[in-house]
């Protein structure tokens, strides 16, 4: 469902006519060699496309117009090999609509001490060509990613690759459609928000459909189609005996399978990239979608419960960003705390819907009462999540702006069995510590719903916020409450 290779990032090199044809030929050859290297680098998951060197106002404006209209172009990498007078760039940058990475590199890694002369200096002068370009971007208040270092440096390649993943997530949002089955959970504030402003800011639309529209699709599937999916469940998961064919609750597994088939068909038919539902609006459905939402997230769809469309969209974007990497990105909720002073922990989970891509080992397929929603017992996948680096991300609507909040965490392997907690679950330690991390999250207005990521990093999320033009708050090992409060105050002033 998610193929990053279909995306292109254009490599645009700046220069000018002053240097003559021989120098410009060398500039082009160097740029082509860099592009070939980028396309061979495992760290960069998209196609990097070489564009001829731009040397004038007209050429710069033309390449920006082409990038704007190119469907598969998701961003531009710009490099000033020589000196490119920045007034030439004003027109092109004024119309630029794609994310920009300024690569501050040079073709040679080392200075050739014994042979360096003025010809070499005139050709390899990114050190001051990129400063000219950087000034005009700052003067025009253009957000961009700046990566510094030699183009063969693995760290540089990783930074570029991470940025291309972020631009892919952003590109995927443009024109995306998300559906809410039913409305927001009643009286809840943080999961709601301004969908009109979100479409202006982020490029995706959110619309509500009645649950009856979905139920009609669910009820349209044949017994043979349901049988095929339940057989897939039995093959892929450790299905408990009562849910197996011939078991006392096999009909519940069939109901769950029919719900999954119906939701997936609805999403495909409507070209939706994600959805939300709510246990308060299940009219006509036999059970709250559990295994359906878990598996559909595993296929790449965004999801969040209780009508939380912002988190559903964020889950989708982060799935695109992390596509092909080890680990998953999933809907999550801070559920309960372990306040042992020697080992404080957060238990993350949800009623049912945590993405199977996080499962550490083979998931169990079980059925249990939910105790909320007033429907039949729902089928769900039960599993633990492995330890390791992770982060939680939340988008909230602050009234005059959107805020992206990220907390880096360290997940830990479960230390105890949880025989009476039949849900997917993960344990983590928030940075910088339990008390500071939780207090900082609350002061920033972070939601209880998040996207939990095992394969993205704070830098990726900061790049995403820069591209989106929204506020970014990071809670990590360096966070101090007094400094965070000041940052929030300064941001209030800046955004007003």
């Amino acid at each position: 469902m998610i193929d990053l290779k279909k995306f292109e990032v254009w490599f645009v090199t700046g220069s000018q006519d002053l240097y003559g044809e021989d120098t410009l030929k060398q500039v082009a050859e160097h740029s082509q060699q860099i592009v070939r290297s980028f396309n061979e680098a495992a760290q960069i998951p998209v196609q990097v496309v070489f564009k001829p060197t731009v040397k004038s106002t007209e050429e710069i404006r033309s390449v920006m117009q082409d990038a704007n209209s190119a469907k598969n172009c998701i961003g531009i990498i710009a490099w000033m090999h020589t000196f490119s007078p920045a007034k030439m760039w004003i027109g092109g940058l004024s119309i630029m609509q794609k994310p920009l990475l300024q690569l501050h590199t040079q073709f040679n890694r080392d200075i050739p001490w014994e042979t360096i002369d003025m010809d070499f200096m005139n050709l390899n002068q990114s050190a001051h060509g990129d400063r000219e370009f950087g000034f005009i971007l700052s003067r025009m208040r253009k957000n961009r990613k700046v990566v510094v270092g030699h183009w063969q440096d693995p760290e540089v390649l990783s930074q570029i690759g991470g940025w291309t993943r972020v631009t892919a997530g952003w590109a995927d949002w443009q024109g995306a459609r998300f559906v809410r089955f039913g409305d927001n959970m009643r009286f809840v504030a943080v999961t709601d928000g301004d969908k009109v402003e979100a479409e202006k800011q982020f490029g995706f639309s959110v619309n509500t459909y009645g649950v009856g529209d979905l139920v009609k699709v669910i009820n349209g599937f044949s017994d043979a189609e349901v049988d095929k999916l339940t057989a897939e469940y039995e093959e892929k998961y450790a299905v408990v005996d009562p849910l197996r064919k011939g078991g006392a609750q096999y009909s519940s597994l069939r109901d769950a399978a029919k719900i999954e088939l119906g939701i997936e068909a609805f999403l495909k038919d409507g070209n939706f990239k994600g959805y939300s539902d709510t246990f308060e609006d299940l009219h006509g459905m036999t059970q709250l979608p559990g295994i359906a939402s878990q598996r559909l997230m595993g296929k790449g769809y965004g999801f969040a419960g209780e009508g939380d469309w912002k988190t559903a969209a964020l889950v989708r974007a982060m799935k695109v960003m992390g596509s092909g990497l080890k680990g998953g990105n999933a809907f999550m909720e801070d559920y309960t705390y372990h306040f042992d002073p020697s080992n404080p922990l957060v238990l993350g989970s949800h009623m049912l819907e945590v993405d199977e891509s996080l499962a550490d080992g083979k998931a169990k397929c079980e059925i249990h009462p939910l105790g909320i929603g007033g429907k039949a017992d729902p089928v769900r996948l039960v599993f633990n999540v492995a330890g390791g680096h992770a982060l939680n991300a939340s988008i909230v609507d602050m009234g005059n702006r959107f805020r992206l909040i990220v907390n880096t965490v360290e997940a830990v392997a479960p230390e105890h069995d949880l025989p009476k907690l039949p849900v997917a679950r993960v344990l983590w330690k928030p940075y910088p510590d339990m008390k500071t991390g939780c207090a900082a999250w609350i002061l920033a207005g972070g939601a209880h719903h998040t996207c939990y990521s095992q394969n993205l990093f704070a830098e990726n999320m900061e790049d995403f916020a820069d591209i989106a033009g929204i506020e970014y708050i990071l809670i990590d090992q360096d966070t101090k409450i007094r400094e965070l409060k000041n940052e929030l105050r300064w941001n209030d002033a800046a955004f007003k």
Side-chain angles (χ1 to χ4, degrees):
M1 184 177 179
I2 299 171
D3 178 17
L4 297 186
K5 281 298 180 185
K6 70 181 181 182
F7 294 120
E8 298 176 354
V9 169
W10 288 7
F11 191 91
V12 178
T13 306
S15 188
Q16 59 181 331
D17 286 319
L18 180 67
Y19 301 107
E21 286 302 317
D22 288 344
T23 297
L24 290 173
K25 183 180 179 181
Q26 287 182 278
V27 168
E29 289 172 351
H30 289 173
S31 298
Q32 288 171 316
Q33 186 171 334
I34 291 173
V35 168
R36 285 194 297 270
S37 177
F38 284 176
N39 281 321
E40 293 169 358
Q43 299 95 323
I44 301 177
V46 306
Q47 293 295 315
V48 182
V49 177
F50 167 80
K51 290 295 172 179
T53 307
V54 291
K55 310 173 296 297
S56 67
T57 298
E58 293 75 21
E59 290 175 353
I60 294 167
R61 187 176 182 89
S62 177
V63 76
M64 293 301 182
Q65 287 176 325
D66 291 345
N68 288 345
S69 60
K71 182 179 179 181
N72 290 340
C73 176
I74 61 172
I76 295 167
I77 298 174
W79 172 44
M80 304 303 110
H81 189 314
T82 59
F83 193 79
S84 180
K87 288 173 71 175
M88 295 194 310
W89 286 85
I90 294 172
L93 293 174
S94 296
I95 64 169
M96 180 184 68
Q97 297 172 357
K98 300 294 172 78
L100 176 68
L101 182 147
Q102 182 181 357
L103 178 58
H104 188 43
T105 190
Q106 61 188 26
F107 186 73
N108 59 297
R109 192 194 70 172
D110 303 324
I111 293 175
W113 304 107
E114 298 297 326
T115 60
I116 186 170
D117 57 18
M118 283 310 301
D119 288 339
F120 182 94
M121 295 277 277
N122 282 332
L123 176 62
N124 299 284
Q125 52 177 304
S126 307
H128 89 287
D130 277 327
R131 282 168 167 75
E132 169 77 354
F133 185 58
F135 165 75
I136 203 64
L137 288 163
S138 296
R139 170 69 186 269
M140 295 177 70
R141 309 301 193 266
K142 292 288 184 181
N143 286 351
R144 79 279 197 188
K145 175 77 170 178
V146 177
V147 174
V148 179
H150 191 253
W151 52 276
Q152 292 176 314
D153 182 344
E155 184 178 348
V156 167
L157 293 172
S158 293
Q159 285 187 287
I160 294 171
W163 177 82
T164 64
R165 290 181 172 278
V166 171
T167 58
W170 177 253
D172 185 75
W173 262 9
Q174 306 314 299
R177 306 179 68 204
F178 293 89
V179 57
R180 291 200 305 170
F181 296 119
D183 204 349
N184 195 59
M185 181 179 173
R186 298 177 193 120
F187 303 109
V188 177
V190 73
T191 54
D192 215 338
D194 188 335
K195 296 189 290 295
V196 174
E197 192 62 29
E199 189 163 351
K200 287 171 53 184
Q201 189 82 45
F202 300 131
F204 63 76
S205 63
V206 183
N207 285 290
T208 299
Y209 285 74
V211 177
D213 296 330
L214 173 60
V215 170
K216 183 178 179 181
V217 179
I218 290 172
N219 291 336
F221 282 89
S222 67
D223 288 344
E225 291 169 306
V226 174
D227 289 341
K228 182 179 179 181
L229 185 53
T230 56
E232 181 180 327
Y233 291 168
E234 292 199 28
E235 180 180 350
K236 187 172 183 180
Y237 310 114
V239 180
V240 296
D241 289 340
L243 289 176
R244 289 185 171 273
K245 193 170 185 177
Q249 294 174 293
Y250 180 60
S251 62
S252 294
L253 187 71
R254 291 178 56 80
D255 288 340
K258 187 178 287 190
I259 289 171
E260 179 182 337
L261 291 168
I263 295 176
E264 186 169 14
F266 196 103
L267 296 175
K268 287 182 177 178
D269 290 345
N271 195 29
F272 295 108
K273 292 182 175 179
Y275 70 101
S276 66
D277 58 23
T278 173
F279 60 85
E280 290 180 326
D281 197 347
L282 297 173
H283 184 71
M285 297 181 68
T286 56
Q287 57 183 265
L288 179 64
I291 190 173
S293 296
Q294 292 175 294
R295 283 172 49 85
L296 288 170
M297 276 190 284
K299 293 179 179 180
Y301 288 103
F303 171 81
E306 290 107 52
D308 186 355
W309 52 271
K310 296 190 299 300
T311 302
L314 183 62
V315 169
R316 167 64 187 191
M318 292 173 68
K319 281 185 170 295
V320 173
M321 288 188 260
S323 178
L325 297 175
K326 184 180 179 180
N329 290 273
F331 173 54
M332 187 58 68
E333 179 172 281
D334 293 54
Y335 226 100
T336 193
Y337 293 144
H338 184 60
F339 272 134
D340 179 354
S342 64
N343 187 32
L345 295 166
V346 176
L347 173 61
S349 183
H350 202 256
M351 295 183 297
L352 300 171
E353 314 98 340
V354 173
D355 187 346
E356 66 169 339
S357 68
L358 300 184
D360 184 19
K362 191 172 186 177
K364 297 179 180 178
C365 181
E366 302 181 4
I367 182 170
H368 300 275
L370 185 61
I372 194 169
K375 291 291 181 176
D377 299 345
V379 176
R380 80 291 300 271
L381 298 175
V382 178
F383 54 84
N384 290 323
V385 178
H389 154 83
L391 61 79
N392 278 298
S394 171
I395 289 182
V396 295
D397 185 343
M398 297 302 295
N400 66 334
R401 66 191 186 277
F402 291 99
R403 173 182 286 168
L404 174 61
I405 307 164
V406 171
N407 185 197
T408 57
V409 306
E410 187 69 24
V412 299
E415 300 170 352
H416 304 279
D417 293 331
L418 300 167
K420 295 185 177 181
L421 186 65
V423 293
R425 58 267 174 144
V426 58
L427 291 166
W428 69 76
K429 294 177 178 289
Y431 282 115
D433 57 71
M434 182 78 161
K435 291 182 178 179
T436 305
C438 292
W441 188 270
I442 289 172
L443 287 168
H448 53 289
H449 288 167
T450 63
C451 180
Y452 177 88
S453 177
Q454 296 174 313
N455 53 29
L456 297 177
F457 294 85
E459 182 179 1
N460 303 130
M461 304 312 297
E462 183 176 0
D463 289 344
F464 192 76
D466 282 345
I467 292 172
I470 62 173
E471 182 185 6
Y472 175 73
I473 297 295
L474 173 63
I475 303 166
D476 64 0
Q477 60 268 26
D478 297 323
T479 295
K480 295 179 174 58
I481 292 298
R482 181 180 297 172
E483 293 174 1
L484 176 75
K485 286 181 176 180
N486 283 333
E487 182 179 359
L488 295 171
R489 293 187 187 105
W490 296 333
N491 287 358
D492 277 337
F495 279 91
K496 284 178 181 175

